[in-house]
Amino acid sequence: DTTVKQNPRYKLARVGKPVNLICSQTMNHDTMYWYQKKPNQAPKLLLFYYDKILNREADTFEKFQSSRPNNSFCSLYIGSAGLEYSAMYLCASSHRGTGYAEQFFGPGTRLTVL
Amino acid sequence: GEQVEQLPSILRVQEGSSASINCSYEDSASNYFPWYKQEPGENPKLIIDIRSNMERKQIQELIVLLDKKAKRFSLHITDTQPGDSAMYFCAATLNQGGSAKLIFGEGTKLTVSS
């Protein structure tokens, strides 16, 4: 099973409220990624977990949190949503091993902040 | 930051003709260049990739070319079919401190008309 699952598929949030998105994979991949995708823009890497080590991008460092309670699950947490957070959030996983490997993407969660 | 430029953003071709998408990257240490196809409502799926030790790779009607000197790579779809209509994203690895990240191009919306 090469499926990456994301929940929920659609999320409506109010400005100032928290948002928690969930991603799971059963491929035993060591690395899980979160991307933000806005219309007509490239997917933008927000952060990734390699095993239990979290790497956050410098320009989104304070905006997004994440946790990985076990190898299969990874969450993306927004403490206080703003209108600019409205986007598609894509989770991906890969097995880095000794070299770079294919990233498998989930279907995405479309977040709308009102 | 590091960028991958992808052109054109919109591409319309007639069924049976060829379609070409071009990408350029900045990091001379990039060593992996995947191409993803995303259909409406679906997650991006890897369709072909090329590593830096190759100049050309073909899978059925998909051809990728890599020019490391010019830091350019391209996707060519020969004998296009309506089912090839989708968004296409190129990407290049960015290696930082032992971690490899994918930097995506902005995407090309390909429409194949019959």
Side-chain angles (χ1 to χ4, degrees):
Chain A
D1 181 10
T2 57
T3 304
V4 176
K5 293 183 170 63
Q6 289 188 241
N7 286 298
R9 294 291 309 275
Y10 300 90
K11 175 72 178 176
L12 194 62
R14 295 292 180 189
V15 170
K17 297 297 185 183
V19 175
N20 197 45
L21 309 180
I22 303 295
C23 178
S24 65
Q25 51 89 15
T26 56
M27 296 173 278
N28 203 31
H29 283 170
D30 54 24
T31 308
M32 294 184 76
Y33 307 80
W34 280 101
Y35 292 85
Q36 181 190 66
K37 172 87 174 61
K38 293 187 175 183
N40 303 316
Q41 294 183 19
K44 175 180 168 55
L45 180 66
L46 300 175
L47 53 87
F48 67 94
Y49 260 101
Y50 171 57
D51 196 18
K52 290 181 175 22
I53 301 169
L54 174 62
N55 296 269
R56 287 188 286 179
E57 292 296 286
D59 55 348
T60 57
F61 192 85
E62 296 177 347
K63 296 182 178 180
F64 299 93
Q65 300 285 336
S66 183
S67 67
R68 192 176 186 189
N70 55 55
N71 179 269
S72 299
F73 288 86
C74 187
S75 67
L76 181 70
Y77 180 76
I78 301 167
S80 177
L83 295 175
E84 71 277 13
Y85 287 85
S86 292
M88 177 73 83
Y89 289 86
L90 296 168
C91 174
S93 71
S94 73
H95 191 71
R96 225 165 68 166
T98 57
Y100 192 76
E102 174 187 353
Q103 290 190 16
F104 294 84
F105 282 86
T109 295
R110 185 173 296 282
L111 173 64
T112 302
V113 182
L114 300 174
Chain B
E2 294 288 335
Q3 288 188 337
V4 172
E5 186 177 18
Q6 181 173 349
L7 292 170
S9 55
I10 297 173
L11 181 58
R12 297 187 179 94
V13 299
Q14 290 287 325
E15 181 179 359
S17 65
S18 297
S20 295
I21 304 172
N22 299 292
C23 291
S24 60
Y25 60 99
E26 296 181 353
D27 184 7
S28 57
S30 293
N31 60 4
Y32 178 67
F33 308 89
W35 287 88
Y36 286 85
K37 176 182 180 182
Q38 184 175 22
E39 298 183 79
E42 301 288 326
N43 49 313
K45 290 185 172 59
L46 180 73
I47 54 173
I48 192 168
D49 56 17
I50 190 167
R51 293 184 181 266
S52 57
N53 60 351
M54 301 175 68
E55 294 179 349
R56 184 182 190 278
K57 183 174 179 179
Q58 181 167 1
I59 298 176
Q60 296 181 335
E61 81 279 7
L62 302 176
I63 300 171
V64 288
L65 302 175
L66 173 63
D67 182 343
K68 286 180 293 184
K69 217 173 201 179
K71 296 185 198 171
R72 294 180 195 273
F73 58 113
S74 56
L75 172 68
H76 306 272
I77 307 173
T78 60
D79 189 24
T80 53
Q81 301 298 313
D84 293 324
S85 297
M87 280 292 290
Y88 290 82
F89 294 97
C90 65
T93 51
L94 174 62
N95 300 292
Q96 282 183 339
S99 295
K101 306 186 294 189
L102 275 182
I103 306 297
F104 284 85
E106 296 287 332
T108 297
K109 183 176 181 180
L110 173 64
T111 303
V112 180
S113 53
S114 54

